[in-house]
Amino acid sequence: LGWRFTSWTLLGSGFCISGVAVRLFVVPGRWGSEELVSWTLNVGVLSVFVGTSNILMDQLLNDNLVDKEGRGGSAKTGEWEAWLLFVLAIATIGIVGRALNRTAPVLLSMIGMTMIALRISFAASSATGNVLAFFLVSGVLGFAIILFAHRCCQHSSSRSQPAWSQLFDEGVVPTAATAAAAEKLNP
């Protein structure tokens, strides 16, 4: 009871603390400084992440030790429910982090997505009986996570064009237009 109680308490208090951070961000008032919002949100999402990870780990360990009838075995009675809770918590952490423009929640969300990608890769490998399926699926999902993280962490002002094209627009990378403009200035 102690481990489960602690995990669920972490999850519940983490959502409450994250809610306080969102409230401080939306209606700053006297206490809504950037630092307080960031610290409150970071503590809240870390609590949610650790709580859901503990719930998932507890479910996985208990399922591998005892099945529904009390026999030892590998019956996965609640594994998918625990994974669903984990996925929903990770998605919520990422959405809140992106909405409040904070990187720590987005980073925790990416770590959680990596855990999910590894679980899907193991399932693909088990289903096909081929270890190459693990590497193929984990590579594709890993690349998708990197692209998603890159897209999430771009500044809102740069959403209209890719980051690499901004280098040309800002004159960091010389183009024919910037070379022609430089020649006009220096005949």
Side-chain angles (χ1 to χ4, degrees), residues 4-79:
R4 289 184 184 142
F5 178 76
T6 303
S7 301
W8 284 101
T9 303
L10 271 173
L11 178 63
S13 64
F15 275 122
C16 290
I17 293 169
S18 298
V20 169
V22 170
R23 170 79 164 91
L24 287 172
F25 182 81
V26 173
V27 184
R30 181 176 161 200
W31 291 94
S33 70
E34 289 287 322
E35 294 81 14
L36 185 61
V37 170
S38 292
W39 276 97
T40 307
L41 185 64
N42 291 347
V43 167
V45 297
L46 183 62
S47 177
V48 169
F49 185 83
V50 170
T52 53
S53 297
N54 284 345
I55 290 168
L56 180 62
M57 186 59 68
D58 181 50
Q59 189 63 43
L60 293 175
L61 289 176
N62 285 338
D63 280 350
N64 286 329
L65 297 176
V66 178
D67 63 8
K68 283 185 177 180
E69 287 79 30
R71 299 179 307 225
S74 60
K76 304 294 183 192
T77 55
E79 179 182 358

Side-chain angles (χ1 to χ4, degrees), residues 27 44 55 63 66 85 88 98 128 140 153 155 185:
V27 184
I55 290 168
D63 280 350
V66 178
L85 176 67
L88 291 175
R98 180 64 188 123
T128 61
V140 168
C153 291
H155 295 290
L185 294 174

